[in-house]
Amino acid sequence: MVNYTNLFRRRVHRPMHASMVIALGFLLIILTGALLLTLPVSSRTGEPTAFVDALFTATSATCVTGLVTVGTATHWSGFGQTVILLMIQIGGLGFMTLASIASFLLRRTITLRERLVMSAGLNLSDNAGIVRLTRRVLFGTFAFEAAGAALLACRFVPQFGFARGVKMGVFHAVSAFCNAGFDLLGTPDNPFASLVGYVDDPLVNLTIMALIVIGGLGFFVWGDIWDKRRFSRLSLHTKLVLVTTALLLAAGTGLTLLFEWNNPATLGPLSAGDKVLAAAFQSVTLRTAGFNTIDQAALEGPTQALSCLLMMIGGSPGSTAGGIKTVSAAVLVLSALSALRGRTSVSAFGRSIGVRNIMNAVTMMIVGGTVSLTGACAIAYIEGAPFGQCLFEAVSAFATVGVTMGLTPGLHTASHLILIVLMYLGRVGVLTLGVAVLMRHREPPKLQYPESNVMVG
């Protein structure tokens, strides 16, 4: 006879899968941040903030997106901005990565369960060496953010004074490294100014760009580069990340220059050197960073399409960036090229790419495209706005980019809720989907069907 009491107890006490821990952990952080932001102390006026605006901001910060409904500099007080900064740091690195600091300081042994969640949070399929990698991640993160803050302070301190200048340097360095895109440069007349006023400033542009790229490469890539030092010795993953990132940045810069060179509302008024700088920044920020130095609403049609493509690809696996990831895009392109050449296998740099990796890349692309299109259609239906603008905002939300054509602040509550769901799915849903696929116990199929051909194309 089955003992249902013991069976129930086993089910109740069964530990949650690492992907579920991540999903619930992010949700808890978002709700906690939203409640803190609704407090009167969080706003400059001393009045409570509407819960939808607080929830939108908390989701955007935790999911390192950058889309906002109220000006970060003009609406939130110092306390509110600190809450936002903490959520950005937690969202960028993962709550388990930051929680491990206490274990390191107390010299407490990290359990196997904690190692599994830490590896899942960094999107790694193997927890071997995860503690050593986490130490590197924490050290590297704080080192890069400190260096970026010091460089940005050199520009902001003379402009805003020492205390505020240092604060601005730290906030923007953390926001850039975590690919969040939040800024404190808004004014009452222009609350969503971002970095438009620094379009011709090499120090600000190059520092922010470097932080975005480094944060978007991925934590595993850092360790691989540090250990191997030579390109020929790097893993296939790292090679794909570096090559794909370089190609996307170069193509994005070149095509932006081509499409926007004479646009009077974007690159047109700038000198040749500043045009290159602005185009490069545009290409980098679309890798899910969210800052902008040119007006996104004034972009030409081809540039808008290019922006959506670059946003959807995003950064690299196991990084602070979002999107379907560079490696997925590279695998899809390599698969297409192999098919065009009549080959039945996919390879790169002398290594074959497994069928499971190809299936995962296809899955990520289909899920990302379907979710973004669905969200864009829903927003267009609710708002009666042009579909192109709605698609831009939806892709920006799902890929956790944060650039906007100015549509987001004026949307209705229903559309804001749709963007909240897109941001959560883009940061947490895709991550947990990837973790579930990577960590699932794979068994050979018990039933093998006869193979048959179908007509494709």
Side-chain angles (χ1 to χ4, degrees):
M1 184 175 180
V2 178
N3 190 331
Y4 290 101
T5 302
N6 292 335
L7 180 62
F8 175 76
R9 287 176 179 172
R10 285 199 299 270
R11 288 185 176 274
V12 170
H13 294 289
R14 180 181 296 174
M16 289 188 295
H17 192 276
S19 60
M20 185 61 68
V21 174
I22 293 173
L24 293 179
F26 270 91
L27 184 60
L28 179 61
I29 294 168
I30 290 172
L31 292 177
T32 302
L35 292 175
L36 290 174
L37 292 178
T38 58
L39 299 175
V41 70
S42 294
S43 69
R44 288 190 176 275
T45 61
E47 298 179 356
T49 300
F51 181 73
V52 173
D53 289 328
L55 180 63
F56 192 99
T57 303
T59 305
S60 183
T62 306
C63 298
V64 289
T65 305
L67 288 176
V68 292
T69 57
V70 295
T72 307
T74 57
H75 179 83
W76 304 110
S77 65
F79 176 81
Q81 292 169 3
T82 302
V83 171
I84 291 172
L85 185 64
L86 290 175
M87 287 189 291
I88 290 172
Q89 190 74 86
I90 294 172
L93 294 181
F95 57 92
M96 277 304 300
T97 301
L98 290 177
S100 63
I101 295 177
S103 299
F104 294 151
L105 294 177
L106 297 175
R107 298 184 181 278
R108 183 179 67 85
T109 301
I110 298 177
T111 65
L112 176 61
R113 183 67 188 167
E114 292 172 334
R115 292 169 187 259
L116 288 173
V117 178
M118 288 165 62
S119 61
L122 296 177
N123 201 22
L124 300 175
S125 58
D126 188 2
N127 66 334
I130 186 61
V131 175
R132 182 166 61 95
L133 177 60
T134 301
R135 287 196 182 98
R136 286 183 176 181
V137 168
L138 291 172
F139 176 79
T141 295
F142 297 137
F144 285 124
E145 288 177 349
L151 291 172
L152 292 174
C154 293
R155 174 66 67 240
F156 292 141
V157 167
Q159 184 177 357
F160 300 105
F162 182 79
R164 189 183 174 195
V166 171
K167 172 188 172 181
M168 298 277 280
V170 171
F171 188 97
H172 291 92
V174 174
S175 182
F177 182 84
C178 292
N179 282 222
F182 280 80
D183 68 89
L184 299 179
L185 297 168
T187 63
D189 295 331
N190 187 10
F192 310 108
S194 192
L195 298 175
V196 173
Y198 299 88
V199 64
D200 57 350
D201 191 316
L203 177 60
V204 172
N205 278 261
L206 294 177
T207 301
I208 295 291
M209 289 164 62
L211 290 170
I212 292 170
V213 172
I214 294 172
L217 285 178
F219 306 123
F220 175 81
V221 174
W222 298 0
D224 200 26
I225 293 175
W226 180 263
D227 291 334
K228 307 294 180 55
R229 307 295 176 91
R230 293 173 56 185
F231 185 83
S232 60
R233 298 172 58 189
L234 298 176
S235 67
L236 175 60
H237 171 84
T238 301
K239 290 178 180 178
L240 288 176
V241 166
L242 295 178
V243 172
T244 306
T245 298
L247 290 175
L248 289 174
L249 293 179
T253 301
L255 291 175
T256 300
L257 285 172
L258 176 64
F259 297 146
E260 300 293 325
W261 186 272
N262 294 317
N263 186 345
T266 56
L267 302 185
L270 303 176
S271 65
D274 291 340
K275 287 180 179 180
V276 174
L277 182 63
F281 189 93
Q282 176 74 4
S283 180
V284 170
T285 196
L286 293 174
R287 312 306 307 287
T288 81
F291 295 102
N292 64 279
T293 57
I294 58 177
D295 185 5
Q296 302 298 299
L299 294 174
E300 300 287 357
T303 315
Q304 295 178 24
L306 172 67
S307 299
C308 287
L309 176 61
L310 293 177
M311 287 191 294
M312 181 58 72
I313 295 173
S316 301
S319 72
T320 59
I324 67 168
K325 304 299 188 297
T326 53
V327 175
S328 296
V331 170
L332 290 173
V333 172
L334 290 171
S335 300
L337 292 176
S338 295
L340 291 174
R341 294 173 180 174
R343 297 177 180 175
T344 57
S345 62
V346 181
S347 62
F349 298 104
R351 294 288 186 274
S352 296
I353 298 175
V355 176
R356 170 58 63 177
N357 296 130
I358 299 173
M359 292 175 63
N360 290 345
V362 172
T363 301
M364 298 291 286
M365 187 63 198
I366 292 176
V367 171
T370 302
V371 170
S372 298
L373 285 173
T374 302
C377 290
I379 294 174
Y381 175 79
I382 294 170
E383 305 293 335
F387 179 76
Q389 293 184 13
C390 297
L391 180 62
F392 191 96
E393 305 292 305
V395 173
S396 180
F398 177 78
T400 68
V401 181
V403 292
T404 175
M405 299 185 72
L407 193 65
T408 295
L411 296 176
H412 294 89
T413 300
S415 297
H416 283 157
L417 293 176
I418 291 173
L419 291 178
I420 288 173
V421 173
L422 288 175
M423 287 187 289
Y424 183 80
L425 290 176
R427 178 60 178 167
V428 181
V430 172
L431 177 61
T432 53
L433 174 63
V435 170
V437 170
L438 288 171
M439 300 184 69
R440 181 181 297 124
H441 179 63
R442 298 170 189 149
E443 297 179 355
K446 297 179 180 179
L447 182 62
Q448 192 77 25
Y449 294 99
E451 184 176 312
S452 183
N453 293 323
V454 296
M455 296 178 66
V456 178

